[in-house]
Amino acid sequence: MASRILPFGRSSHHPHRKDHKSRPTHRDALSAVDTSVGEQKHLSTAMDIFHFGSKEKRRSASGTSSPKGKASPHMAPTKPARIDVEMESPPLVFYGPPASSSGALLSGQLQLTITEPELAINTIHLDLIAHVTSNKPVQKDCPDCTTKSNVLFSWEFISEPTTYLYGSRSFPFSHLLPGHLPATTSASLGKIDYLLRAKAVTALGENIDFTRSLRVQRALQPSPDKESVRVFPPTNIAAKVIVAPIIHPIGEFLVQFRLNGVVEQGKDATIRWRLRKFNWRIDEHHKIISQPCPKHAHKVGGEGKGIFHEDMRSIGWDEIKKGWKTDFDAPDGGQIELEFPASIRPGKEPVCDVTNSTGLEASHALIVEMVVSEEHVRNKNPRQVAPTGIARILRLQVHIIVTERGGLGISWDEEQPPMYEDVPMSPPGYSKVLENLEGLPDELEQL
């Protein structure tokens, strides 16, 4: 029998009846979704079990976790305790010159914080150290030639094994810094700094260190103005400069300048010197003697010798082309007067004057330079002035001191309370006052 082609959409069992399939309902859709989700979960669980070993390997390689529980190499080991220093004294300022300064009082507390339930400590000590560092050492790569250390004072808080529980403890300390010590300095050739270095040693031999830098300053009280005079032969010119001997890194100071003897009288003519140009500057000089260590002493000829270094820079300057007063008819050969403000330029970071036995020195000087030209004047016709073409450069140097401002602070020995013998007598008692009132008139008694 020949096969018969069935039309689209009809069943082979019922060729003459159409297939009326119902559309999928909402319940059927939810059932299909639950079935697919369950299959995905089952597949994910199977894949996790299959790749279990590879996941652990990836975690170990990334450093997030380790089967053995090792710490990350970027994390520092935790100390069983920590040390800190809390300062209680005011800023360390030496008032007055090194020869007469009474020093500065240093006081504070060393804080010991135990981070474990119990810790045994053998020793705790604190050192006050002065460091002198040379930027031009005898041997460049030798730390002993570069830095010289000196322990000024030491505190021994614990000298025998002691057990402490969890928490913080304080150890007070104090010391009077001598006034002859140099101030903290940072120059181009070297520096001077002070440190507080604490060290604790546990019973297991572990060291707990702490270091804090201290800034020591010096302040000088204002003094009368300094007057400097210089004569410039073969002429009769004499220059006088009046300036404050003590200046500060911030702020201006006034300089008074005068030239005398600028007129030389002759029989037929008069010679006059006219000021053409005027400039000033502040120079800072640094000196240091680099001392070798015993190992490299042979490079300078033996122990007790060193290499001298010197450096200079300008920290303030200006040029003045006008503003002075010229009087050729003044007595004593005429005069030229000028008054100008001077200061250290911002951003130069000057170094205060320092002189000590370690070899590092810093000093300052005010340099005044002027250019004067010669003029020829006939006595018969004073209005006829003829320049001779001769000029001279005159230079004057005045030593000044750069120091910090003292402000309202006073020396530590002036802050102490008065002694009993310094207290004045107390006012009289009430009984004595009543006895004195008995002899007064009745009108005063009624008042």
Side-chain angles (χ1 to χ4, degrees):
M1 179 186 291
S3 62
R4 187 175 60 179
I5 301 176
L6 297 176
F8 180 76
R10 294 187 179 184
S11 174
S12 59
H13 300 284
H14 303 279
H16 301 285
R17 187 172 62 185
K18 296 182 178 179
D19 187 7
H20 298 280
K21 287 186 177 181
S22 62
R23 296 181 178 179
T25 62
H26 181 66
R27 181 179 300 175
D28 298 335
L30 293 178
S31 178
V33 171
D34 293 341
T35 304
S36 62
V37 171
E39 293 177 355
Q40 291 179 2
K41 288 184 178 180
H42 179 72
L43 180 60
S44 175
T45 304
M47 295 299 294
D48 289 345
I49 296 174
F50 181 78
H51 294 290
F52 175 78
S54 61
K55 285 187 177 181
E56 290 296 329
K57 291 181 180 180
R58 288 197 300 269
R59 290 179 183 177
S60 301
S62 61
T64 56
S65 63
S66 176
K68 297 182 180 181
K70 294 182 179 180
S72 174
H74 300 285
M75 297 179 60
T78 304
K79 294 283 187 179
R82 62 177 181 270
I83 296 178
D84 193 6
V85 173
E86 181 180 354
M87 301 302 299
E88 297 179 347
S89 57
L92 302 175
V93 181
F94 296 149
Y95 292 96
S100 59
S101 178
S102 59
L105 186 62
L106 169 69
S107 63
Q109 292 191 10
L110 185 143
Q111 302 286 342
L112 175 64
T113 303
I114 307 298
T115 58
E116 293 186 352
E118 189 179 70
L119 181 64
I121 298 179
N122 292 341
T123 59
I124 299 178
H125 67 271
L126 178 67
D127 294 334
L128 174 61
I129 305 174
H131 281 175
V132 180
T133 304
S134 175
N135 294 338
K136 294 184 176 295
V138 176
Q139 183 65 26
K140 184 177 180 180
D141 300 331
C142 179
D144 295 334
C145 292
T146 304
T147 303
K148 307 294 182 183
S149 301
N150 183 21
V151 179
L152 302 178
F153 197 80
S154 297
W155 295 269
E156 193 75 21
F157 298 113
I158 297 177
S159 58
E160 57 184 13
T162 306
T163 302
Y164 292 99
L165 301 179
Y166 177 86
S168 299
R169 286 153 187 84
S170 300
F171 302 90
F173 63 91
S174 62
H175 179 64
L176 178 61
L177 293 176
H180 68 272
L181 294 176
T184 302
T185 306
S186 180
S188 60
L189 298 178
K191 63 180 181 179
I192 301 174
D193 52 3
Y194 297 88
L195 302 175
L196 279 176
R197 181 173 296 171
K199 183 178 181 180
V201 181
T202 64
L204 299 178
E206 186 175 3
N207 295 332
I208 303 171
D209 301 326
F210 176 82
T211 302
R212 175 171 179 167
S213 60
L214 299 176
R215 186 184 180 187
V216 179
Q217 300 173 301
R218 184 176 299 278
L220 302 180
Q221 300 298 329
S223 58
D225 292 344
K226 184 178 182 179
E227 183 176 315
S228 180
V229 180
R230 181 180 177 183
V231 180
F232 300 93
T235 65
N236 297 328
I237 300 177
K240 178 187 292 186
V241 175
I242 301 176
V243 63
I246 298 174
I247 66 174
H248 307 288
I250 301 177
E252 295 182 347
F253 59 96
L254 194 63
V255 181
Q256 299 178 10
F257 176 78
R258 178 183 296 178
L259 275 179
N260 293 326
V262 294
V263 178
E264 299 179 7
Q265 295 288 344
K267 293 182 179 181
D268 300 332
T270 301
I271 297 176
R272 300 188 311 193
W273 295 94
R274 186 177 296 274
L275 183 61
R276 297 296 182 181
K277 185 179 179 181
F278 185 94
N279 56 43
W280 63 268
R281 71 176 187 269
I282 301 175
D283 290 345
E284 185 177 86
H285 297 267
H286 299 165
K287 300 178 183 179
I288 191 172
I289 300 177
S290 299
Q291 300 177 357
C293 65
K295 183 179 179 181
H296 300 98
H298 63 278
K299 292 190 174 184
V300 295
E303 297 184 1
K305 298 181 180 181
I307 301 177
F308 178 76
H309 300 279
E310 187 176 8
D311 188 21
M312 188 273 292
R313 65 168 183 159
S314 296
I315 58 177
W317 61 88
D318 195 9
E319 181 178 348
I320 302 175
K321 296 183 179 180
K322 59 181 180 179
W324 50 79
K325 299 179 181 179
T326 303
D327 186 7
F328 292 123
D329 299 330
D332 299 333
Q335 66 180 12
I336 301 174
E337 293 182 340
L338 175 63
E339 187 173 297
F340 60 92
S343 63
I344 299 175
R345 293 207 168 189
K348 286 299 180 178
E349 298 182 358
V351 178
C352 294
D353 283 50
V354 59
T355 302
N356 61 343
S357 59
T358 58
L360 179 61
E361 297 183 6
S363 60
H364 300 80
L366 173 66
I367 311 296
V368 176
E369 294 181 350
M370 66 215 81
V371 178
V372 293
S373 62
E374 188 182 44
E375 297 178 349
H376 191 272
V377 181
R378 292 184 176 274
N379 295 336
K380 295 180 179 180
N381 189 4
R383 295 183 179 181
Q384 186 178 0
V385 180
T388 62
I390 300 176
R392 291 182 180 273
I393 299 177
L394 311 179
R395 179 180 295 177
L396 179 63
Q397 179 175 333
V398 182
H399 176 68
I400 56 178
I401 299 175
V402 178
T403 181
E404 298 288 347
R405 294 184 181 272
L408 300 177
I410 59 176
S411 180
W412 69 272
D413 53 348
E414 298 180 2
E415 294 181 354
Q416 62 182 1
M419 307 298 291
Y420 287 105
E421 56 268 16
D422 298 333
V423 178
M425 297 181 61
S426 59
Y430 291 103
S431 60
K432 295 183 179 180
V433 174
L434 294 176
E435 293 177 359
N436 296 332
L437 293 176
E438 292 179 355
L440 296 178
D442 298 338
E443 296 178 357
L444 294 177
E445 293 181 358
Q446 294 177 0
L447 294 176

